[in-house]
Amino acid sequence: MTTLFGVFLLTLLVITALAVVRARHLVVAVMLLGIFSLLLAVNFVLLDAADVALTEAAVGAGISTVLFLGALALMSEREHYGSSRPWLSLVVVVSAVLVVVYATFDQPRLGDPEAPVLNHVGPWYLEKTPEYVDIPNVVTAVLGSYRGYDTLGEVFVVFTAGIGVLFLLSAGPGAQNNGRRRAVAEKKIGLRDERLLHVIGQLVIPFVLLFGLYVQFHGEYGPGGGFQAGALIAAGFILYALIEGEQRALEALPQGGLNFLMVGGALLYGVVGLAGILLGSNFLAYSVLAQDPVFGQKLGIILIEAGVGMTVCGVLLRIFHAFACRERIR
Amino acid sequence: MNFLGLYNYWVFAVLLMIGFYAVVAKTNLVKKLMGLSLFQAAVFLLYITMGKISGGTAPIIQKGLEDAVFSNPLPQVLILTAIVVGISTTALGLGIIVRINEEYGSIDERDVQESDRR
């Protein structure tokens, strides 16, 4: 039954993807992309990846849709030309699909316990995590502790992307200096006049933020962690900006505070790593952070997850405001 | 039934190439970026599919569940971070497109190339 449900969802996924590519109106395509992400998240739940599903739902269906719409507000929403050389592209694409499908006949079947990928390092993490780190969620343990270097790198990639967007959007004719930005932000009153959306939005926001904090601090025990929490909290503030207008959102959480979150999170992560060296072990070795090595691991993971959450939340909100505070000039 | 076990991989291939088609054939820059998102999503699906084990559950070892079969946590970790990095790169791409639109007055590859030739 579950298999059939999976097949059904995957088929829907392909149909939605085709619709995304075919839609000529870009806002329609963005909405379809949001649906695509939600379907993908449900698929991830079926494939036992609860953490990934939560991330995909918050980031793919939520934040990504808002960012696309924010950018589309600054440009033409219609696609004016068809595909260039569609037949050549189709031939390439179809033959590539056939090659990959041919290659899959050698793949182990879905869920096959004998598959090589399930029999190398994976079981080691499942077996040793209760002993070394002692937190129930193995995904968080691997993310925060065993592969802490990777995660540090990802946090800095997110941080760099945020800097890049701010750098790009702080220049050019559409950019506002501080005084102008305030005027633009005040003009964008969001959905303040839409009573129904306004009331419902105000009711929902506290719970979105609360759920974000729960996901942040419960990430060791259930699905969740810094990446998901950062995206959820950012989504809460974006919702506030949408229904109350830019200016009030910037008053609630000003740009300076967001800068602090962006930089502070990445620094917190780095400092926890350096603390490992200063206490006589390696970079990002948490075992020395406390008397009891297992407690040190827990402490380290909680601290770096907080850093991840801060940076992700700060960067996503800064990016959102960078798009939202801009004026369309052509 | 045997081939149903490969369905995830086939969908991966199809999604990957739908995304690739949008990147190479569409001339609208936002559409290209959407194609890139689809391409990424296909890769996510491939990794998560490989970590699945039949009869398994999410790798959260709770009390009373110690003996359950758990799916492989490693691909999930890789994809979890990849999703957030993906949105960052998408945002960067959108920033570039906004600037292109301001300079050229169009987000279509053909118009941009034509303005450059003049």
Side-chain angles (χ1 to χ4, degrees):
Chain A
M1 198 59 211
T2 324
T3 322
L4 280 182
F5 188 48
V7 168
F8 170 70
L9 279 175
L10 288 168
T11 313
L12 272 185
L13 213 54
V14 172
I15 296 171
T16 326
L18 282 173
V20 169
V21 177
R22 283 188 59 87
R24 295 300 289 268
H25 200 286
L26 290 174
V27 174
V28 175
V30 172
M31 289 304 163
L32 286 167
L33 205 59
I35 296 173
F36 177 88
S37 289
L38 212 54
L39 287 170
L40 191 62
V42 180
N43 252 308
F44 287 158
V45 175
L46 287 186
L47 296 170
D48 297 341
D51 287 89
V52 184
L54 193 55
T55 319
E56 179 66 31
V59 170
I63 308 250
S64 156
T65 310
V66 171
L67 289 186
F68 266 112
L69 290 177
L72 281 180
L74 303 171
M75 54 186 70
S76 164
E77 290 161 357
R78 283 210 158 269
E79 204 180 348
H80 296 290
Y81 304 97
S83 306
S84 73
R85 294 194 212 145
W87 291 109
L88 179 63
S89 313
L90 267 181
V91 168
V92 171
V93 161
V94 170
S95 36
V97 168
L98 292 178
V99 170
V100 179
V101 167
Y102 176 68
T104 59
F105 290 115
D106 283 341
Q107 281 281 338
R109 302 295 183 266
L110 173 68
D112 182 2
E114 302 295 312
V117 69
L118 299 174
N119 289 307
H120 284 282
V121 285
W124 188 90
Y125 288 119
L126 288 168
E127 198 182 311
K128 297 291 181 185
T129 297
E131 185 186 332
Y132 290 148
V133 188
D134 194 28
I135 63 173
N137 190 345
V138 184
V139 174
T140 306
V142 177
L143 182 96
S145 184
Y146 298 114
R147 299 192 71 91
Y149 272 84
D150 276 22
T151 312
L152 180 68
E154 315 270 7
V155 166
F156 274 93
V157 168
V158 173
F159 180 72
T160 314
I163 300 279
V165 172
L166 294 179
F167 181 64
L168 278 167
L169 294 185
S170 67
Q176 321 295 336
N177 57 25
N178 276 335
R180 259 317 262 144
R181 185 185 295 134
R182 197 182 163 82
V184 174
E186 265 166 8
K187 246 191 324 188
K188 300 196 170 171
I189 62 162
L191 298 169
R192 241 181 272 172
D193 293 338
E194 301 269 348
R195 272 297 146 75
L196 190 66
L197 294 175
H198 194 218
V199 171
I200 300 290
Q202 276 185 330
L203 282 176
V204 169
I205 289 170
F207 293 104
V208 173
L209 295 180
L210 189 66
F211 183 60
L213 289 173
Y214 166 80
V215 165
Q216 171 80 51
F217 293 110
H218 204 257
E220 288 82 33
Y221 301 97
F227 284 103
Q228 294 94 327
L232 278 167
I233 293 173
F237 278 102
I238 288 175
L239 187 56
Y240 186 74
L242 292 179
I243 62 167
E244 289 284 356
E246 268 299 295
Q247 186 56 34
R248 289 191 190 172
L250 283 174
E251 278 162 13
L253 192 57
Q255 307 268 30
L258 293 176
N259 287 348
F260 171 78
L261 282 178
M262 259 170 92
V263 180
L267 273 181
L268 177 62
Y269 201 143
V271 167
V272 172
L274 285 179
I277 295 184
L278 291 178
L279 292 170
S281 185
N282 295 320
F283 189 64
L284 286 173
Y286 309 137
S287 300
V288 288
L289 291 180
Q291 288 285 317
D292 176 19
V294 174
F295 183 73
Q297 288 284 342
K298 287 183 183 175
L299 185 68
I301 290 178
I302 287 175
L303 285 175
I304 66 113
E305 286 277 8
V308 171
M310 283 161 72
T311 301
V312 169
C313 176
V315 167
L316 290 178
L317 278 174
R318 269 315 297 256
I319 291 176
F320 170 75
H321 287 311
F323 283 112
C325 283
R326 214 174 167 82
E327 259 183 320
R328 181 171 179 182
I329 53 159
R330 346 187 22 167
Chain B
M1 199 57 208
N2 203 10
F3 283 107
L4 223 50
L6 291 175
Y7 193 70
N8 280 47
Y9 296 110
W10 297 345
V11 169
F12 151 74
V14 172
L15 285 182
L16 194 77
M17 283 303 133
I18 291 174
F20 186 68
Y21 177 84
V23 173
V24 295
K26 292 286 170 182
T27 54
N28 187 295
L29 295 175
V30 176
K31 225 23 178 318
K32 278 180 190 282
L33 214 51
M34 288 178 186
L36 208 59
S37 296
L38 292 176
F39 195 93
Q40 282 179 338
V43 177
F44 301 162
L45 183 66
L46 174 71
Y47 269 65
I48 299 298
T49 299
M50 289 199 291
K52 166 77 180 164
I53 186 163
S54 32
T57 180
I60 300 171
I61 308 174
Q62 281 156 328
K63 284 221 163 56
L65 268 179
E66 283 93 348
D67 296 332
V69 180
F70 296 105
S71 289
N72 193 345
L74 205 51
Q76 302 190 7
V77 175
L78 298 178
I79 293 315
L80 202 156
T81 48
I83 291 175
V84 182
V85 170
I87 178 77
S88 310
T89 49
T90 304
L92 196 62
L94 284 172
I96 295 172
I97 296 173
V98 166
R99 293 286 294 120
I100 288 177
N101 184 49
E102 283 176 357
E103 298 300 329
Y104 291 91
S106 171
I107 50 166
D108 201 279
E109 206 175 53
R110 294 179 202 192
D111 295 339
V112 172
Q113 278 168 348
E114 204 158 301
S115 320
D116 272 347
R117 256 182 240 122
R118 266 193 239 121

